[in-house]
Amino acid sequence: MTQQSETTREKEGAAERERAAEQERAAELEGAAELEGAAGHPASTAPFPPLAEPRPLGERRVWPRTFHDRLTAPLPGLKAMARFAREGAVRPGREGLADLPLLPFEPGPLPSVDARTVAVSWAGHASWVVRIGGLTVLTDPVWSRRIIGTPARITPVGIDWDALPRVDAVVISHNHYDHLDAPTLRRLPRDTPVFAPAGLARWFHRRRFTRVTELDWWEAAELDGVRFDFVPAHHWSKRSLTDTCRSLWGGWVLTAPDGRRVYFAGDTGYGHWFARIGQRHPGIDLALMPVGAYDPRWWLSDVHCDPEEAVRAVQDLGARRMAPMHWGTFVLSAEPVLEPLTRVRAAWQAAGLPREDLWDLPVGASRVLEDR
């Protein structure tokens, strides 16, 4: 491909995204007027704006060179970096590590499922085995004992790799090493369908994956009747010194043929996107929400929810249930290792939410979603 034709394709792709953005803004304005006129009436359960038509699987696309314009907060500047260097490594002290033996780890067999079952099993961190619509989907699979830049896992992987059924699809939230793990992905057949953020397909193609679908925010694809919607998150991307925000970041809404929905947040701070996701995907049955890696707040608040914010986000989403994740696996920040669990339980109770709807699973445990 010549440089001129590549530039032309980039311009055409940018124009297409701008037209879609204009349509979205127009739809939001129209919908806001409708909501204002319907004040006092129950909110509609229809998606607003209507969901996008699924895009072709494995579509080759051209993206902008950077996604810096999607940031909802500026990345740390020189002042913040200097403070970070001055205060040293962000890790809990001896007291914060004292509860390591108490971290919940209860590996068990994966539940028996059929095509109508929706079930989740927590392998640790942001790695889930999601059974939905007859598919087995892995989220941000990290089965490695150690990742670059962090100490080894503080709890083992909760699900043995050899115990997994055939993996029908993988969803990736973003390219940070604790979410995109090359050694784990090398274990998969190269024809495994992968759903990835915009700009990340090249990483998979270099590793010879052949069925990679990359999506922008608010776009979707379908696989065997299950819908995969890529939705915004308050985060960023970086994997090397030269690729900051060169690929997108986000979460996923998985919708079964019967309409049941599981939201996988990936990595995210708290902000306005949760309410918008809930408007477009009403009736989320289960939210897989990060609750750890939040301290110190001056450094991490823009990109990682604390437990109280995670509960607020679930309320903004309108989700029925929450399963905490992104804690108790890798030591990425300064809070005591057991604190995310105790704080999320307290926040859930303070919000007056039913205790049975907080799925605070041990690493390795599973839950099956009841029929609506």
Side-chain angles (χ1 to χ4, degrees), residues 103-104 122 125 291-292 324-330 337-338 340-341 361 363:
L103 290 173
W122 190 31
H125 203 52
V291 300
M325 66 172 185
H326 204 270
W327 77 278
T329 307
F330 296 107
V337 293
L338 201 58
L341 179 62
L361 301 182
V363 174

Side-chain angles (χ1 to χ4, degrees), residues 138-191:
L138 301 186
T139 69
D140 289 357
V142 179
W143 260 250
S144 297
R145 179 174 176 271
R146 185 185 297 271
I147 56 174
I148 291 177
T150 69
R153 304 176 79 107
I154 55 176
T155 50
V157 180
I159 301 165
D160 188 79
W161 185 265
D162 293 333
L164 291 174
R166 187 192 71 174
V167 176
D168 298 298
V170 171
V171 298
I172 300 295
S173 64
H174 65 299
N175 72 352
H176 289 161
Y177 282 92
D178 59 320
H179 294 259
L180 180 64
D181 183 52
T184 299
L185 292 166
R186 279 198 294 266
R187 301 186 182 193
L188 293 167
R190 296 305 187 266
D191 61 351

